[in-house]
Amino acid sequence: IDRICSRHYADFLSSSREMLKMKGSARQITAKVSEMIGNFQSTSGNLTAVLKELQEVQKEKDNLRSLQEATNTCKDIAALMVKTRNQIESDDHYSAMRTIEVIRTEVASIRVKSLAA
């Protein structure tokens, strides 16, 4: 019994040492993981702010594109109005009426939307 116990006691001591080493390694890993979580949380906060800013810039870009399209349509309508006036002054009333119908169609295509949204 003494020999068996002494043989297993040595194994027990070496296993205990290994477990203490593993406990120290586990503490180091826990500290590293905690540090990584902190870094990730601070970085993700910055990333969220950048994404919000990017969305705002994209919205401004879309608003400017819509404004430019509406402005171009208004310019075309103004040209058609000048053409209509010239047709009326030259007594070409039938052509003027057709041009007015084109103007009505163009005006209906303009979508005005608030740029503050």
Side-chain angles (χ1 to χ4, degrees):
I1 292 175
D2 188 45
R3 278 182 277 156
I4 291 172
C5 287
S6 65
R7 192 177 313 150
H8 289 296
Y9 182 70
D11 289 340
F12 172 75
L13 289 178
S14 67
S15 294
S16 295
R17 282 188 214 111
E18 287 296 319
M19 286 180 69
L20 289 173
K21 287 179 186 177
M22 287 174 44
K23 184 178 178 183
S25 296
R27 284 184 185 152
Q28 289 175 348
I29 290 172
T30 302
K32 291 274 187 189
V33 168
S34 296
E35 181 184 341
M36 289 174 66
I37 289 172
N39 289 341
F40 179 73
Q41 288 174 340
S42 67
T43 303
S44 67
N46 294 339
L47 182 59
T48 303
V50 168
L51 287 175
K52 281 183 182 180
E53 209 173 299
L54 182 62
Q55 287 175 337
E56 301 251 345
V57 168
Q58 185 65 36
K59 188 189 311 184
E60 286 180 24
K61 180 181 170 188
D62 292 342
N63 286 341
L64 287 173
R65 185 180 306 122
S66 297
L67 181 63
Q68 183 179 13
E69 290 172 3
T71 302
N72 287 338
T73 303
C74 288
K75 183 182 85 170
D76 295 341
I77 291 171
L80 287 170
M81 292 173 86
V82 168
K83 180 180 176 182
T84 303
R85 185 179 50 141
N86 291 339
Q87 290 170 336
I88 291 172
E89 288 174 355
S90 66
D91 291 331
D92 189 5
H93 299 288
Y94 180 74
S95 296
M97 286 177 30
R98 287 190 319 189
T99 307
I100 289 172
E101 287 302 316
V102 172
I103 291 172
R104 286 184 182 164
T105 305
E106 290 291 322
V107 167
S109 72
I110 295 177
R111 292 185 192 161
V112 178
K113 123 176 151 175
S114 174
L115 296 179

